[in-house]
Amino acid sequence: MERLNGLGEIGLKPGQALRVNRLPLDHGPVPAEQAAVGTPTVGWMTLTELDGFEVGVWELTEGTMYDVEIDEVFVVTAGRATVVIEPAGGHPVRRAELAPGTVMRLAAGMRTVWTVTEPLRKVYLTRAAR
């Protein structure tokens, strides 16, 4: 597997178990054009690819950032945050409170604002980059 932006990868093997909240993630600053409040950092690691999909772990520290999403489903494993999805395509503004156990789907092109109050860690599933 390739390293993802130099932040890490692990080749999760069939039958291997991981405790995702214990995985060390290398963090870097959120790009200046995405940082809104504070100085959040972000880290992620690709765990495996499966039938054209990537499974990984992503973490964001306290602060607020803007993002434009890709198609993704994720499960929060630690932390707390609020995600505000800007209105688009006739849909009103939407707000989601994230906590451990929350499952959420994002669609490509959604404009979001993430406000993290406790470092947020999630396991995500998205199409693998080609």
Side-chain angles (χ1 to χ4, degrees):
M1 290 183 114
E2 284 184 37
R3 290 178 64 81
L4 180 61
N5 286 347
L7 294 178
E9 62 85 14
I10 187 168
L12 185 63
K13 308 290 187 270
Q16 182 181 4
L18 290 176
R19 294 190 178 197
V20 295
N21 288 346
R22 292 185 181 175
L23 286 175
L25 298 178
D26 292 331
H27 276 246
V30 168
E33 67 275 8
Q34 288 181 268
V37 175
T39 54
T41 64
V42 64
W44 66 92
M45 177 183 291
T46 301
L47 298 176
T48 193
E49 287 188 17
L50 181 65
D51 290 333
F53 289 91
E54 177 181 306
V55 178
V57 178
W58 181 91
E59 184 174 66
L60 184 65
T61 62
E62 292 96 333
T64 302
M65 71 170 278
Y66 305 106
D67 204 5
V68 177
E69 302 300 334
I70 60 173
D71 287 323
E72 171 187 359
V73 173
F74 65 84
V75 178
V76 175
T77 64
R80 299 205 178 278
T82 301
V83 176
V84 176
I85 303 168
E86 294 180 4
H91 294 285
V93 72
R94 287 174 273 173
R95 177 185 178 102
E97 298 295 328
L98 304 181
T102 303
V103 176
M104 187 171 190
R105 179 173 178 217
L106 298 171
M110 283 181 162
R111 294 187 164 294
T112 56
V113 179
W114 294 72
T115 300
V116 176
T117 55
E118 293 176 24
L120 186 78
R121 188 170 280 216
K122 66 183 184 177
V123 173
Y124 66 84
L125 174 73
T126 190
R127 292 191 197 285
R130 296 281 174 219

